[in-house]
Amino acid sequence: MGNKQSNEKKIQESQISVNQSQLSARESQLNTSNSNQSNYAKKEQIAQELYFPSSDDCPSKINITLGGINFWSNYDSGNLFKVEQVETNTFNLSISEDCQGRIPPVQSNKGTRQWFNFKVVTASDFQANFVIVNIATRFKKIWSADSDIYFKINKIWNRYPAVYQGFQVKFSFEFQANQIVQFAYMPPWSYKKNQKYLDFYSSQLHPDIYFRRETIAHSLEGRNIELITITKNGPSEQQPYYCTEYLFPEKQFNEPLKKFKKQYILISCRIHAGEVPSSFILKGILESLKNQNESAEYLLQNYVFLIIPMLNPDGVYRGHYRLDSLGYDQNRVYNRIVKFPKFNGPLAVLEICKNYNVAFYIDLHAHSVLTNSFIYTNWHPNPSIHSAILEFPKQMKQKVHHFRIKESMSTSINYEKSQYEFEGIYTEKEENIQKAPDLKIHITKENLVPQNMTSDCPFSTNPYLTGVAKSDVYLTSSNMFSYTLEVNYRYYTKNKQVFKYEISDFINLGRDVVESLYSVHQNQDFIQIKSQLDGSIFN
């Protein structure tokens, strides 16, 4: 225990030293850029930008005993803010908003009370009634009157019935003495679990698969943002590459690295901390590559997979639903990225796409409102190229019975003006326009319905979705095959029937990603268009 505290102290001291140097650099920058600004205002701005939180500053981490029952959430990905005993066997439970009680988040944290994860143990047999009293109102569509939660006893997770009523989740449980029971929104995939899984995964790989695991950046609180490299025939086909100043912290700036001459497929995950289904999707992708079936064999021979399994490890550790430890939704900052520690995850994605030959980029997410699985794409004015962009979601539609291609959103990028332009049928609320006033929204008779619009992939627009990964990868690196893959946490519909997702469905969805990428390369029209765009790997 003493060694752990000593290590934590060293990390904090190291961060303080880093903070001081960054504080001086930022203060100098502000002095140069705006000499008329008062010293007080400057210091306030610096404090807002460079406030490094402590890992212990987590209102979601508690340990409390009431009525002979012990509740605790002070562990990786735990979230329980307050417990009140209202009757002998009835307890009101409150969960924490992201960054609750800290500095005001740069972006709103309203509506982030959704993720919960806590443990309970009783000294004797006991039946308790629990009411989670403050579920966020904005996510009411994900709950139904008979919604399930999850519980774990002896390392096994199972569904458990709960009642959703008036933004409250109610359930009862029969406890046995000294039996630890864990309750959660869904089975968590914590930062620690991610580390253990990667350890196990690498030990199971066949010797002819090239595997490299390294830290591409550190989070604000010092956790590793890791980069996984997987391919075949790797060591003999590398070329020099020079380390950038802000990435690969274990290496020296401008230290020569190695990258492959093959093209890359980049996959990222968990920029929104609570979107656990995306980690299970990634598990399916990794398991498929490990098994080396025909699809995986082809892709590993022709591509290098780069995988960032956890872009927001601090948010994951803190039990957040969406935001990082500073209150940012990091999936809205790609279009205003700065070389600053608070955005190291998005910075890593953009730098990879600019400096590596990335052919495909897939960002994995989970959706709280829209049902089924679906993909957001980018729109291109050339009908042939846009058809090639849509080939991946079309292949997913053929393989995944719960995939809805009609939810696809196509975002057009204007490279000359470096701005977003949305083409298509506008279906969003008027109020969303006010959230993105700088965007040029094309809603006219001439382009209300683009000529290349097809019935199997209609367009919709959402001007609030600025700064997202797939759009800014497209903007900064001209990578047209850039996607956001979404899946609902709970439900999918088919033939007007509602079905509940199982964890196995998410894992199978990841396997279908690999199969669909392979099937894309069986389409001769796609191969021709793609070879015209890059002229190398498909010849």
Side-chain angles (χ1 to χ4, degrees):
M1 189 69 177
N3 290 337
K4 181 179 180 182
Q5 291 175 345
S6 176
N7 290 337
E8 289 180 350
K9 184 176 180 181
K10 289 180 180 179
I11 292 174
Q12 291 177 356
E13 290 175 349
S14 175
Q15 289 181 344
I16 290 173
S17 176
V18 173
N19 296 350
Q20 289 174 342
S21 63
Q22 291 171 337
L23 193 68
S24 300
R26 180 58 175 149
E27 188 168 14
S28 175
Q29 180 183 354
L30 288 176
N31 285 333
T32 303
S33 62
N34 191 352
S35 58
N36 295 325
Q37 191 177 21
S38 69
N39 290 332
Y40 177 80
K42 291 175 188 175
K43 290 180 179 179
E44 285 294 307
Q45 183 174 348
I46 293 169
Q48 288 289 325
E49 292 182 350
L50 283 177
Y51 178 78
F52 279 67
S54 165
S55 291
D56 298 326
D57 180 23
C58 296
S60 60
K61 313 293 186 192
I62 67 168
N63 191 332
I64 188 172
T65 300
L66 289 174
I69 302 181
N70 183 220
F71 301 82
W72 74 99
S73 60
N74 53 342
Y75 52 87
D76 190 348
S77 81
N79 187 335
L80 183 63
F81 175 61
K82 185 170 64 174
V83 181
E84 296 178 297
Q85 186 174 11
V86 294
E87 295 180 4
T88 302
N89 63 339
T90 301
F91 299 83
N92 284 350
L93 312 177
S94 298
I95 55 180
S96 174
E97 288 180 332
D98 296 357
C99 294
Q100 182 169 332
R102 291 191 51 251
I103 60 171
V106 178
Q107 298 179 340
S108 174
N109 67 345
K110 301 301 180 183
T112 59
R113 289 192 311 267
Q114 185 73 8
W115 175 260
F116 55 87
N117 178 7
F118 59 93
K119 297 179 182 180
V120 180
V121 66
T122 64
S124 58
D125 293 354
F126 189 82
Q127 180 171 339
N129 303 316
F130 297 132
V131 183
I132 302 177
V133 298
N134 63 339
I135 293 293
T137 59
R138 65 176 290 192
F139 297 126
K140 62 183 179 180
K141 290 184 178 180
I142 200 172
W143 294 96
S144 63
D146 60 345
S147 292
D148 293 332
I149 62 171
Y150 286 85
F151 80 104
K152 183 179 76 170
I153 298 177
N154 297 327
K155 299 183 179 181
I156 299 175
W157 284 97
N158 290 289
R159 289 182 181 273
Y160 194 77
V163 175
Y164 175 72
Q165 185 178 27
F167 307 112
Q168 296 183 345
V169 176
K170 304 177 182 180
F171 60 99
S172 300
F173 197 87
E174 187 80 31
F175 290 94
Q176 297 180 13
N178 301 316
Q179 183 180 62
I180 297 176
V181 183
Q182 184 174 355
F183 298 96
Y185 180 67
M186 69 174 302
W189 189 287
S190 66
Y191 174 75
K192 183 178 180 180
K193 177 175 180 176
N194 192 67
Q195 302 292 93
K196 288 185 175 180
Y197 173 73
L198 292 176
D199 289 341
F200 173 77
Y201 179 81
S202 60
S203 69
Q204 300 295 308
L205 290 175
H206 193 276
D208 68 352
I209 293 183
Y210 177 89
F211 178 89
R212 186 171 70 218
R213 179 181 174 188
E214 56 195 327
T215 299
I216 191 171
H218 286 137
S219 70
L220 200 62
E221 296 179 331
R223 297 182 180 87
N224 292 340
I225 301 174
E226 294 191 290
L227 178 68
I228 309 301
T229 305
I230 305 176
T231 189
K232 297 194 76 171
N233 303 324
S236 62
E237 298 182 3
Q238 296 183 346
Q239 59 188 9
Y241 166 65
Y242 290 92
C243 181
T244 62
E245 181 179 359
Y246 299 94
L247 299 180
F248 300 101
E250 298 172 356
K251 304 182 185 300
Q252 297 295 321
F253 174 51
N254 273 338
E255 178 181 341
L257 307 176
K258 295 289 185 181
K259 68 176 182 178
F260 297 89
K261 293 182 180 180
K262 295 188 287 188
Q263 288 191 316
Y264 289 77
I265 297 174
L266 174 62
I267 300 173
S268 61
C269 189
R270 296 296 288 281
I271 197 163
H272 290 148
E275 295 183 358
V276 175
S278 62
S279 287
F280 289 107
I281 296 172
L282 182 58
K283 179 180 180 181
I285 293 173
L286 290 171
E287 294 296 322
S288 183
L289 295 178
K290 181 184 72 173
N291 293 337
Q292 295 190 81
N293 58 15
E294 180 182 357
S295 303
E297 180 75 16
Y298 173 87
L299 293 172
L300 289 170
Q301 288 285 358
N302 289 279
Y303 286 99
V304 180
F305 280 82
L306 289 178
I307 296 171
I308 307 178
M310 195 165 283
L311 285 166
N312 181 13
D314 293 345
V316 172
Y317 171 82
R318 287 171 167 267
H320 286 180
Y321 189 62
R322 286 182 68 84
L323 310 182
D324 66 5
S325 57
L326 282 181
Y328 281 92
D329 181 345
Q330 289 198 5
N331 200 39
R332 298 296 184 274
V333 304
Y334 284 87
N335 62 337
R336 52 192 175 93
I337 197 75
V338 290
K339 292 177 179 178
F340 230 61
K342 62 187 176 186
F343 296 150
N344 263 356
L347 176 63
V349 170
L350 293 182
E351 286 294 324
I352 286 173
C353 290
K354 286 190 291 185
N355 294 291
Y356 291 77
N357 188 10
V358 175
F360 292 88
Y361 171 57
I362 305 172
D363 194 23
L364 305 178
H365 285 258
H367 210 285
S368 302
V369 179
L370 297 178
T371 62
N372 295 58
S373 56
F374 55 94
I375 286 177
Y376 291 152
T377 70
N378 291 301
W379 182 83
H380 196 279
N382 184 311
S384 297
I385 294 177
H386 190 64
S387 177
I389 291 173
L390 295 181
E391 187 60 29
F392 175 54
K394 288 179 180 178
Q395 292 297 333
M396 289 287 289
K397 174 63 176 176
Q398 293 183 21
K399 292 175 173 55
V400 183
H401 69 278
H402 52 85
F403 190 85
R404 295 175 61 175
I405 200 167
K406 70 177 183 178
E407 297 292 353
S408 292
M409 175 189 295
S410 293
T411 307
S412 172
I413 304 298
N414 187 322
Y415 291 103
E416 294 181 358
K417 298 181 180 179
S418 296
Q419 68 182 23
Y420 299 92
E421 296 181 358
F422 295 91
E423 305 254 0
I425 300 176
Y426 185 69
T427 59
E428 300 298 322
K429 295 180 180 179
E430 183 70 21
E431 63 189 36
N432 284 346
I433 296 181
Q434 304 304 319
K435 298 178 181 178
D438 297 332
L439 298 184
K440 183 180 179 182
I441 311 299
H442 289 262
I443 306 296
T444 65
K445 288 184 178 180
E446 289 74 20
N447 57 21
L448 182 60
V449 181
Q451 291 183 355
N452 65 326
M453 178 178 174
T454 59
S455 59
D456 60 346
C457 192
F459 293 90
S460 63
T461 67
N462 187 339
Y464 185 48
L465 288 177
T466 61
V468 299
K470 62 99 181 171
S471 297
D472 279 274
V473 163
Y474 187 29
L475 177 64
T476 58
S477 66
S478 301
N479 181 358
M480 301 169 189
F481 302 96
S482 175
Y483 307 93
T484 302
L485 173 60
E486 299 266 10
V487 64
N488 188 272
Y489 283 87
R490 302 287 194 187
Y491 305 107
Y492 66 93
T493 60
K494 188 152 183 85
N495 299 325
K496 298 183 179 180
Q497 290 184 287
V498 178
F499 301 89
K500 294 181 180 180
Y501 274 121
E502 302 292 343
I503 298 302
S504 58
D505 292 318
F506 302 137
I507 296 174
N508 288 332
L509 182 60
R511 293 174 178 146
D512 289 328
V513 167
V514 174
E515 295 299 319
S516 297
L517 285 172
Y518 172 69
S519 296
V520 164
H521 293 82
Q522 310 310 304
N523 183 301
Q524 294 302 314
D525 291 335
F526 171 85
I527 293 175
Q528 182 178 1
I529 293 169
K530 188 69 172 64
S531 62
Q532 291 173 356
L533 292 174
D534 54 49
S536 58
I537 195 170
F538 296 97
N539 292 331

